[in-house]
Amino acid sequence: MPGPQYSPSPRELDDLELLLSGALAPQTTFDDPGLGPVTLTLPPELRDAPEIELVDPEGLPLAQLWSPVAEEGASATLSRPRTLTALSTPAYGPFRRLQLTPVQVREQYAGALTVPVAGPLTDGDLSLIAEKAAGRDVVLLALNGTGTPQDLSPVGLVRATLAAAELLEPTAHVVTVPLPSHGDPATDHALGQHVVANYATGDVLGVPGDGEWPDEIAAIVDQDQPAEDQRGFVVFFTGLSGSGKSTLARALHDLILEDGRRTVTSLDGDVVRRNLSAGLTFSRADRETNIRRIGWVAAEIGRHRGIAICSPIAPFDETRKQVRQMVEDAGAEFVLVHVTTPLEECERRDRKGLYARARAGEIPEFTGISSPYEEPEDATVRIDTTGRTIEDALGDLMPHLPFHKDLT
């Protein structure tokens, strides 16, 4: 029987592909002391499991992570690091056909000039590559892992690199390498050099990025990176029940609809509960699941350059941060609005009598009464709606929206 399953984060999935392809050789598994940043963070309930099946977000088994049991006297311990064994190779994803292993690159392009590419190549870069290649083939290694591409999305980087290959005089081949960023420039640089060296079959050329983008590449950058007022973004209201979150969210939703230039979707807490999250309780675990569902939908809207307006209570800081990460990973902007209306005012406004029922013990785990509300420290803006009109309170938010100058 296979062990429990775990779906790694996007960064961990990129690292997994590098490990299995041999791009990180001689290291072959996570948490090897020789590769500090290539780690796998398992949930507490899986940390002592002798076998774990690593799966992609759709549940396809990719690899098995297992640890032989080493006997130490009367006790048994799991050896570290664990052994990693491939189970299957991902078959889908944009430009998957260009993702070769180091062995394949060395076999197919022996003696080629290798050029690592993390951003759109300039006319100066192309001239330098042609000069140094001196008639040899060129391999452009598009480093398109999570967080690595500069000025472009991972897909945009590959498209721009393919356009650059068409402009080079010697024969140029594009190979994609899912090298992710681990958040530390020096560490990422060293790891990148290690990976590139495993792919290189001859000389390696680093390009400085001097000059201008050729028209063909500039057009791809413009398409991939829309102007600020055309990017997707998520406005996420959080606060106590009765604080005015939904009122502000509805007013903003109407304002954007009236403007008419952007598509907008409202993900109101109560509406989501009746549809997307029907069947969930108000336990902490289910409330967090509800917020993550809202975050996932909002991130997908933002990915496609739409606007999502969310207005759940979202009392827990960790879950809000997870939503922020989902949105930012999708390439959209995240605007966190903390509606800070005090508890006393929220209770005064309570038309449904929820606070009274909560104080009477009829509603368990009610935020602000019997369950905590963790105030965000990373809010973009804080709005207290006490004694204010909707228009006045909304005015605090407008300067933080990408196209606020055009809204009336």
Side-chain angles (χ1 to χ4, degrees):
M1 290 289 292
Q5 291 187 334
Y6 173 68
S7 180
S9 69
R11 190 272 298 168
E12 292 168 336
L13 284 172
D14 287 341
D15 281 337
L16 175 62
E17 292 209 50
L18 295 179
L19 287 166
L20 295 179
S21 72
L24 293 173
Q27 279 73 24
T28 59
T29 190
F30 289 101
D31 300 297
D32 190 300
L35 282 176
V38 183
T39 59
L40 182 69
T41 302
L42 295 169
E45 63 271 18
L46 295 183
R47 289 174 188 166
D48 292 326
E51 291 186 15
I52 300 170
E53 193 172 73
L54 302 181
V55 301
D56 72 7
E58 296 181 359
L60 173 69
L62 299 175
Q64 184 182 54
L65 196 65
W66 59 282
S67 181
V69 177
E71 297 292 337
E72 294 184 356
S75 63
T77 61
L78 299 178
S79 64
R80 296 291 190 273
R82 300 171 187 253
T83 298
L84 188 66
T85 304
L87 297 178
S88 63
T89 301
Y92 302 103
F95 301 112
R96 172 63 61 175
R97 65 190 180 278
L98 302 178
Q99 190 169 317
L100 307 181
T101 68
V103 170
Q104 291 172 321
V105 171
R106 290 195 297 268
E107 289 177 348
Q108 295 179 32
Y109 308 124
L113 175 67
T114 300
V115 182
V117 181
L121 294 173
T122 66
D123 50 12
D125 294 334
L126 296 178
S127 296
L128 180 62
I129 293 170
E131 175 188 340
K132 297 298 184 181
R136 290 177 291 170
D137 281 8
V138 173
V139 172
L140 301 177
L141 287 182
L143 309 178
N144 67 330
T146 303
T148 293
Q150 302 163 10
D151 302 316
L152 286 169
S153 68
V155 171
L157 176 67
V158 181
R159 294 181 61 232
T161 306
L162 287 167
E166 292 291 327
L167 297 173
L168 283 167
E169 286 297 331
T171 302
H173 313 276
V174 177
V175 174
T176 62
V177 181
L179 176 69
S181 169
H182 297 84
D184 179 81
T187 300
D188 286 338
H189 179 70
L191 192 62
Q193 287 183 315
H194 181 96
V195 170
V196 171
N198 278 330
Y199 276 91
T201 64
D203 296 333
V204 176
L205 174 67
V207 292
D210 297 335
E212 302 293 329
W213 295 325
D215 291 343
E216 297 87 341
I217 294 176
I220 292 171
V221 175
D222 289 343
Q223 183 184 52
D224 186 73
Q225 299 293 308
E228 186 180 64
D229 62 355
Q230 292 300 313
R231 289 181 62 198
F233 70 92
V234 174
V235 183
F236 193 95
F237 291 89
T238 175
L240 297 174
S241 176
S243 62
K245 303 181 306 298
S246 294
T247 301
L248 290 175
R250 284 194 297 269
L252 177 62
H253 181 259
D254 291 347
L255 199 59
I256 296 172
L257 283 178
E258 290 172 7
D259 180 71
R261 286 171 298 167
R262 300 293 300 271
T263 59
V264 58
T265 301
S266 172
L267 297 172
D268 177 76
D270 291 335
V271 175
V272 170
R273 275 278 180 181
R274 287 194 296 272
N275 296 278
L276 184 64
S277 294
L280 292 184
T281 70
F282 285 88
S283 68
R284 174 162 184 156
D286 278 3
R287 280 187 287 173
E288 289 178 312
T289 296
N290 179 52
I291 300 307
R292 282 192 291 268
R293 288 181 182 180
I294 291 173
W296 186 86
V297 173
E300 289 304 301
I301 292 169
R303 185 190 307 278
H304 297 287
R305 302 182 185 178
I307 300 170
I309 300 174
C310 313
S311 51
I313 293 174
F316 304 120
D317 186 62
E318 179 182 356
T319 318
R320 292 192 301 260
K321 282 183 166 58
Q322 290 173 354
V323 172
R324 176 189 290 275
Q325 192 64 53
M326 290 181 202
V327 172
E328 293 178 348
D329 286 347
E333 184 173 346
F334 186 77
V335 179
L336 180 62
V337 184
H338 180 199
V339 184
T340 61
T341 308
L343 175 63
E344 296 77 12
E345 176 65 13
C346 294
E347 287 197 71
R348 187 189 68 78
R349 297 175 179 177
D350 185 18
R351 293 177 296 178
K352 300 178 183 178
L354 298 177
Y355 280 101
R357 292 177 58 197
R359 288 194 181 280
E362 297 176 13
I363 304 177
E365 297 190 77
F366 191 88
T367 301
I369 303 299
S370 52
S371 182
Y373 177 83
E374 300 172 0
E375 295 194 0
E377 297 181 357
D378 58 341
T380 308
V381 60
R382 293 173 173 80
I383 302 174
D384 183 348
T385 63
T386 305
R388 303 175 68 184
T389 65
I390 296 173
E391 293 76 12
D392 181 49
L394 199 59
D396 291 354
L397 170 61
M398 300 311 292
H400 301 278
L401 302 181
F403 59 95
H404 74 280
K405 294 180 182 178
D406 299 319
L407 293 176
T408 58

